[in-house]
Amino acid sequence: MPSDFQITIEQLTLQKLLIHILGKLSVNNASSALEQLKGIIKEHSPQQVDIELSNVSYFDSAGAAVLIELGITCENRGCSIDFKGMNPEIKGLLDLLDIYALSHPDIITHKTIPGFINRIGEFVFKFIADLKWMLVFLGDFTIAVLYAITHPKSIRWREVIYYLEKTGVDALPIVILIQFLIGVTMAFLGSSQLKQFGANIYVANLVSLAMVLGVGPIMTAVIVSGRSGSAFAAEIATMKVSEELDAMSALGLDHQRFVVLPKVVAVVIAMPCLMVISDIVGILGGAVIAVTSLDLTLTIYLDQTIKSLKFYIIMRGLVNTVIFALLLSAVGCMRGFEAKGGPESVGECTTSAVVSAIFLIVVANAIMTVIYYGGTGLASVM
Amino acid sequence: MINIPIIEVQNLTAAYGNEVILDNVSFSIYEGEILVIAGGSGCGKTTLLRHLICLQKPVSGKIIVDGLEITNPEFDTEKLVEKTGVLFQSSALFGSMTVAGNINIILEENTNLPENVRKLLVRMKLSLVGLSGFENYLPSELSGGMKKRAALARAMTLDPHILFFDEPSAGLDPITSAELDKLILQFNASLGTTMIIVTHELSSIFAVANRVILLDEKTKNIIAEGTPEELRNDKSNPKAYAFFNRKIPKSNGN
């Protein structure tokens, strides 16, 4: 780019320098202009600099920044600077600026980085506050659930149906696909081990137990929390950020009843239905492998499956599913309420909803397994 | 004021789907003036503004901004960035960045200035709007008036010739909105920036406007044009008279 500005120097006396700036001083050449001017001052190290601006044809705020930066440089070197021949345009721009504030450090210092101990303290306080808030939410939620059980008509069924479609029907394709593939994987892995003992037939037991009580419910819960738990958190967080929740409070509409319960009821109904379908699909996935690579017939495989699946095992799977549904939908809603500030907190809430849901699901699964099998395990030892 | 049109709107028709909002609107905006686009709610003020800043394309008609035909389908919106600045109604500061970050990102993307000059420019822009020292605040930590001013600083980052304001005094207290009006007048006087303000705030209109165009919901066009004082005293146009005198028009509902 051709240089559209020019700098000429005149050494008036030994200590005094006159710098002419001609042409444009704008955002396009500000950085090179500043470099040149600083270089001149460094080279001559004068006591006094006069900057002649009467031949500046165009000037914008980057130009003003150059002059101010130059002023700061001179001040630091103990040299006085004077701007001359300013046209009204330049003067108007410079007059708008608070030059003192610009050439001096911030008065308001903000955001000091806390030390290690402080951070631990902050974390503990935040953790306690979090815990308190969880208890409050849990209390409100329990009251709302008890009320809803005793007054089923108070539940907003129209919204429940809307969320049933969103969380149940719309989730079917992905749940079917994933559970089928898990059934296939289970059968493959299981058969590679069971083949060694000639116990091919037990692949049916492995797959059915895994799908009904093991990974099946967990995977369904993870999918639903990823699809719906996160959506609940985002929806509620957006409502919070846009003051919709405050409006509800001001209008005397209970958050739990209007916002939380329809979602939770919908998930608690939808998840067991999804689970029954995913059980069947997973077992069929296993059957495909059993028939194609384990020399079992479909009849034998299904017969063995039915033998291995006791009624109480299916019920245990469904109870787990209902517990997971309750946990993931309630925690999704709870995280949504934690939003504060701007749009970025919506994202944080959504992430935290999914992470907490998965954590709670895994913990609940462990607890339920101990409850179901802990007793029998001990009994068999004794 | 020298009458050189900087924006020309020719036979603009704007619609959402089948609903026509503006029908065959034509007017010019002259360099260095403060033009207020006024009108009741739902008359298409904001729609007109959105067309002027190229967020929406018209059904028919032409808009020429500083020699660029922005209604041309091949027009590259980026060319407008250096010429125009927009102050949105909700300020629209980027919530994840500090106030300084909001301005710095524009400098980073559009100039090759070194970091220290960028920093200085950010501080200059903030000092212009009286927000010196608030560089490291997040938008959520600012009051409504401060957000507006920070957004104004951001809109002015690249020294645009033309500034658009969408309802600048919406949600501000009288003092804060008077301060904002003062800033608008100050920048217009010292920088010669053309200002286009969409508002229905009468006190603001009388404080800042050189010229007003009044849009109407029924005719979907301009029903009055002139200085605010002219329009306030002109009884021949009952709708405009009612608007500028805060009265209910006699023919209301017909």
Side-chain angles (χ1 to χ4, degrees):
Chain A
M1 202 172 72
S3 178
D4 41 13
F5 79 105
Q6 220 184 330
I7 295 172
T8 61
I9 323 164
E10 233 177 282
Q11 185 98 37
L12 295 180
T13 65
L14 204 56
Q15 258 92 42
K16 199 169 173 185
L17 204 62
L18 177 68
I19 301 177
H20 272 281
I21 300 177
L22 303 100
K24 287 184 176 178
L25 193 55
S26 71
V27 70
N28 296 323
N29 57 28
S31 55
S32 64
L34 183 66
E35 228 165 83
Q36 282 190 37
L37 289 166
K38 272 187 174 172
I40 290 167
I41 288 176
K42 208 171 170 189
E43 189 187 322
H44 295 262
S45 39
Q47 291 289 313
Q48 157 89 41
V49 181
D50 287 346
I51 310 273
E52 181 60 50
L53 298 164
S54 51
N55 289 317
V56 172
S57 59
Y58 179 82
F59 186 79
D60 65 10
S61 48
V66 168
L67 297 187
I68 293 167
E69 180 72 23
L70 199 64
I72 296 170
T73 315
C74 285
E75 198 179 315
N76 291 343
R77 299 178 67 95
C79 139
S80 67
I81 187 160
D82 206 0
F83 298 108
K84 291 193 165 152
M86 280 193 266
N87 61 30
E89 210 177 295
I90 302 178
K91 205 163 178 318
L93 190 58
L94 289 179
D95 280 349
L96 288 176
L97 298 170
D98 180 357
I99 308 273
Y100 181 84
L102 289 177
S103 51
H104 290 77
D106 293 357
I107 308 158
I108 305 167
T109 48
H110 197 56
K111 300 235 168 76
T112 48
I113 299 164
F116 182 63
I117 304 288
N118 281 357
R119 272 197 234 179
I120 294 177
E122 272 172 22
F123 175 78
V124 172
F125 277 119
K126 201 177 158 291
F127 185 74
I128 292 171
D130 230 33
L131 223 57
K132 268 190 195 162
W133 153 244
M134 269 188 207
L135 278 177
V136 170
F137 183 87
L138 200 65
D140 285 346
F141 180 67
T142 314
I143 293 168
V145 168
L146 291 178
Y147 184 83
I149 290 172
T150 49
H151 305 78
K153 275 193 182 160
S154 74
I155 298 175
R156 296 170 56 79
W157 289 107
R158 195 174 297 193
E159 283 182 34
V160 171
I161 289 167
Y162 168 80
Y163 286 114
L164 262 177
E165 191 191 331
K166 285 260 167 195
T167 59
V169 181
D170 293 354
L172 260 183
I174 184 76
V175 167
I176 288 176
L177 176 72
I178 288 184
Q179 300 290 25
F180 180 82
L181 290 178
I182 286 179
V184 168
T185 317
M186 277 288 167
F188 249 130
L189 289 176
S191 68
S192 70
Q193 298 300 311
L194 292 169
K195 254 185 196 165
Q196 298 172 22
F197 308 102
N200 285 355
I201 187 68
Y202 288 105
V203 165
N205 296 44
L206 177 74
V207 170
S208 57
L209 204 63
M211 293 318 297
V212 173
L213 196 54
V215 278
I218 291 186
M219 274 318 290
T220 308
V222 167
I223 296 167
V224 173
S225 75
R227 285 187 80 254
S228 307
S230 60
F232 295 165
E235 185 185 330
I236 295 174
T238 312
M239 287 174 83
K240 173 94 181 263
V241 172
S242 60
E243 293 183 320
E244 277 181 53
L245 292 180
D246 293 343
M248 291 186 109
S249 306
L251 293 167
L253 304 174
D254 181 32
H255 292 167
Q256 295 286 342
R257 197 183 134 216
F258 283 85
V259 179
V260 178
L261 269 188
K263 299 180 174 67
V264 173
V265 172
V267 174
V268 169
I269 296 173
M271 278 257 295
C273 303
L274 283 176
M275 201 52 235
V276 171
I277 294 167
S278 71
D279 285 349
I280 296 169
V281 171
I283 289 167
L284 287 180
V288 170
I289 298 305
V291 172
T292 53
S293 67
L294 289 177
D295 304 330
L296 293 173
T297 66
L298 187 62
T299 337
I300 294 174
Y301 179 86
L302 290 181
D303 195 44
Q304 182 69 18
T305 300
I306 291 164
K307 259 191 231 161
S308 70
L309 280 181
K310 305 281 186 302
F311 178 70
Y312 72 87
I313 290 181
I314 298 174
M315 283 322 287
R316 282 173 179 180
L318 289 178
V319 167
N320 276 6
T321 309
V322 170
I323 292 171
F324 297 163
L326 206 59
L327 285 174
L328 76 89
S329 56
V331 84
C333 293
M334 189 186 86
R335 292 300 182 203
F337 282 103
E338 286 170 13
K340 48 179 167 287
E344 74 277 7
S345 73
V346 176
E348 279 167 25
C349 290
T350 316
T351 310
S352 133
V354 177
V355 174
S356 329
I358 292 175
F359 172 74
L360 288 177
I361 288 163
V362 172
V363 170
N365 187 58
I367 294 173
M368 293 314 286
T369 310
V370 171
I371 291 174
Y372 293 151
Y373 292 99
T376 52
L378 283 178
S380 64
V381 171
M382 283 191 294
Chain B
M1 206 175 306
I2 323 147
N3 282 357
I4 310 165
I6 193 161
I7 298 180
E8 279 180 88
V9 178
Q10 298 165 359
N11 309 319
L12 175 79
T13 297
Y16 295 107
N18 285 328
E19 196 189 343
V20 176
I21 308 290
L22 297 168
D23 190 11
N24 206 14
V25 173
S26 301
F27 63 96
S28 296
I29 300 169
Y30 301 103
E31 196 161 355
E33 75 170 336
I34 303 181
L35 177 85
V36 167
I37 300 171
S41 303
C43 69
K45 299 188 295 280
T46 302
T47 308
L48 178 56
L49 184 79
R50 288 175 65 84
H51 281 84
L52 289 176
I53 57 182
C54 212
L55 286 179
Q56 257 167 273
K57 296 275 182 195
V59 177
S60 66
K62 242 200 223 178
I63 300 173
I64 298 162
V65 175
D66 206 6
L68 299 171
E69 191 190 329
I70 63 165
T71 41
N72 188 334
E74 276 146 46
F75 176 73
D76 181 8
T77 321
E78 267 180 39
K79 285 184 191 155
L80 266 185
V81 172
E82 282 177 29
K83 291 183 186 288
T84 63
V86 187
L87 176 62
F88 289 94
Q89 190 174 349
S90 59
S91 300
L93 294 168
F94 306 129
S96 55
M97 294 179 198
T98 60
V99 172
N102 264 281
I103 299 173
N104 190 44
I105 187 170
I106 300 172
L107 292 171
E108 247 176 28
E109 291 303 308
N110 293 292
T111 70
N112 56 359
L113 296 172
E115 200 193 341
N116 58 338
V117 177
R118 283 207 309 266
K119 262 191 186 156
L120 186 65
L121 262 173
V122 168
R123 295 179 65 171
M124 269 171 61
K125 296 295 171 185
L126 288 176
S127 94
L128 278 180
V129 296
L131 281 181
S132 290
F134 287 93
E135 283 89 344
N136 294 324
Y137 278 62
L138 285 170
S140 55
E141 296 169 311
L142 300 179
S143 71
M146 287 160 100
K147 269 188 214 168
K148 276 271 158 75
R149 282 188 278 157
L152 177 58
R154 187 181 68 178
M156 292 176 46
T157 305
L158 295 174
D159 294 322
H161 303 308
I162 308 167
L163 270 177
F164 295 96
F165 297 79
D166 189 10
E167 309 265 1
S169 40
L172 297 184
D173 66 84
I175 296 175
T176 314
S177 70
E179 281 171 357
L180 197 64
D181 289 345
K182 197 181 146 203
L183 275 180
I184 292 172
L185 284 172
Q186 217 174 18
F187 294 147
N188 176 261
S190 52
L191 306 175
T193 316
T194 310
M195 312 263 183
I196 293 103
I197 305 170
V198 165
T199 185
H200 49 212
E201 204 72 31
L202 281 180
S203 49
S204 260
I205 296 175
F206 286 113
V208 301
N210 298 141
R211 198 159 63 94
V212 185
I213 56 176
L214 186 66
L215 293 172
D216 181 59
E217 196 185 346
K218 281 211 186 90
T219 61
K220 305 185 196 309
N221 210 320
I222 299 169
I223 53 164
E225 189 181 335
T227 68
E229 286 74 23
E230 275 167 26
L231 295 176
R232 182 167 56 182
N233 301 324
D234 178 15
K235 292 196 179 175
S236 65
N237 188 338
K239 270 193 187 160
Y241 183 78
F243 185 92
F244 284 94
N245 290 283
R246 277 191 105 218
K247 290 199 169 112
I248 299 165
K250 283 193 185 108
S251 59
N252 198 18
N254 300 322

